[in-house]
Amino acid sequence: MARFSLDEISDTGAFVRSASTFRNWISRDLNSQFPPESGRYHLYVSYACPWASRCLAYLNIKGLNKAISFSAVKPIFERTNESDDYKGWVFPESETEVPGAEPDMLNGAKTIRELYEIASANYTGKYTVPVLWDKKLKTIVNNESSEIIRMFNTEFNSIAENPTLDLYPTDLKPQIDDTNEWIYTSINNGVYKCGFAKKQEPYNEAARQLYGALDKCEDILSKQRYICGNTLTEADIRLFVTLIRFDEVYAVHFKCNKKLLREYPNLFNYTKDIFQIPGISSTVNMEHIKLHYYGSHPSINPFGIVPVGPNIDYSAPHDRERFSA
């Protein structure tokens, strides 16, 4: 039987995310099984998924669109029957069925699950996105977004349109790693620990950590343009994908309602700033995002009703230029 995130609950009622499974690396090393070749790789994403969206953001801002193709699935998980088994991420049957989603033209797969089964007949884990696919070997290279973005940052520079953009510069690596750690634990994964908790105490603890981390971000961003200084880094992209979903989804669906993103002046303007970087806004499909969260977790939202608001305009002016050098 297939598993997905809502199944990953500990005996205490807390959400505990399992690790990704496919961890191969695209490398410029001469002996690499997966060299960085133009046209060889394909990225499967869901616009709804923050982990997949950060990979898509890298594809755009590094200028890898011509070297690496991508396609998106339908926004809502589909189930096979009334039991807990499910299809998960599903491809549309035609390009017009769901705007923004596309049929799988590479393998003829109906679901992301089928791609995992092509790559490994004995696979028993979750069928998640993103999936970085090797067209030549017909297998999954990697399904861990934190590693995929590192590959996109450095290994394809010979064929990237923006090869000099380095979102993980050597002098900032320790700071980025430290920032990623607390942001992932308390914010990226923290909203899920709030939303998927099945007992009050783990929810309370997750909410405490979430808002402590958001307060920390607000303070940092009162002094500098980006989360690790006045230079855009990997940590900003990783934080952004959660923030852009916060008021539209997490505040309601995951019970993260103590304080809205719009009530944090620096965080809210920062989110607009990142959204307006060329190549970022096209990775944000709010219709897919809302349809997925409100429609894919029947134990949380049994009737699948999607709230009408708040419809925030992230293209509106912000004040972050005040930190420009």
Side-chain angles (χ1 to χ4, degrees), residues 58-217:
Y58 263 71
L59 206 66
N60 288 349
I61 62 178
K62 284 291 293 185
L64 290 170
N65 321 63
K66 296 176 182 176
I68 301 170
S69 55
F70 83 93
S71 56
V73 295
K74 295 164 65 173
I76 299 177
F77 281 144
E78 293 189 9
R79 294 172 183 269
T80 56
N81 47 45
E82 294 302 318
S83 72
D84 288 335
D85 202 16
Y86 78 120
K87 295 178 183 177
W89 298 114
V90 176
F91 296 102
E93 294 184 2
S94 70
E95 293 182 3
T96 59
E97 181 186 344
V98 178
E102 304 161 67
D104 177 32
M105 305 304 291
L106 292 178
N107 301 288
K110 302 298 183 185
T111 66
I112 289 292
R113 178 175 181 167
E114 288 181 30
L115 296 176
Y116 279 80
E117 291 167 349
I118 293 170
S120 175
N122 300 317
Y123 184 74
T124 58
K126 295 190 297 179
Y127 306 101
T128 58
V129 287
V131 169
L132 184 57
W133 183 265
D134 184 346
K135 302 176 189 177
K136 182 177 180 180
L137 299 181
K138 293 190 178 299
T139 193
I140 296 173
V141 180
N142 198 296
N143 69 337
E144 171 50 56
S145 64
S146 64
E147 294 176 356
I148 293 173
I149 62 175
R150 294 273 173 91
M151 293 181 229
F152 287 175
N153 187 58
T154 59
E155 300 308 304
F156 289 89
N157 279 342
S158 63
I159 52 178
E161 294 180 355
N162 297 317
T164 59
L165 177 65
D166 185 2
L167 297 172
Y168 191 53
T170 301
D171 60 323
L172 290 178
K173 284 181 179 179
Q175 185 181 355
I176 292 170
D177 288 343
D178 177 69
T179 303
N180 283 344
E181 180 65 28
W182 62 263
I183 285 177
Y184 170 79
T185 301
S186 299
I187 300 178
N188 298 143
N189 201 39
V191 292
Y192 285 86
K193 289 190 285 187
C194 290
F196 289 167
K198 291 189 175 181
K199 293 184 180 180
Q200 190 68 45
E201 284 308 310
Y203 164 79
N204 289 347
E205 177 58 22
R208 183 191 66 78
Q209 291 184 18
L210 169 64
Y211 281 96
L214 289 174
D215 289 343
K216 181 177 180 178
C217 288

Side-chain angles (χ1 to χ4, degrees), residues 1 30 35 43 54 56 106 146 148-149 192 200 209 236 242 251 259 276 311 317 320:
M1 182 176 291
L30 293 177
L43 182 67
R54 66 190 190 186
L56 192 55
L106 292 178
S146 64
I148 293 173
I149 62 175
Y192 285 86
Q200 190 68 45
Q209 291 184 18
D236 296 298
T242 299
K259 192 173 181 180
Q276 293 171 34
N311 300 322
R320 304 302 291 170

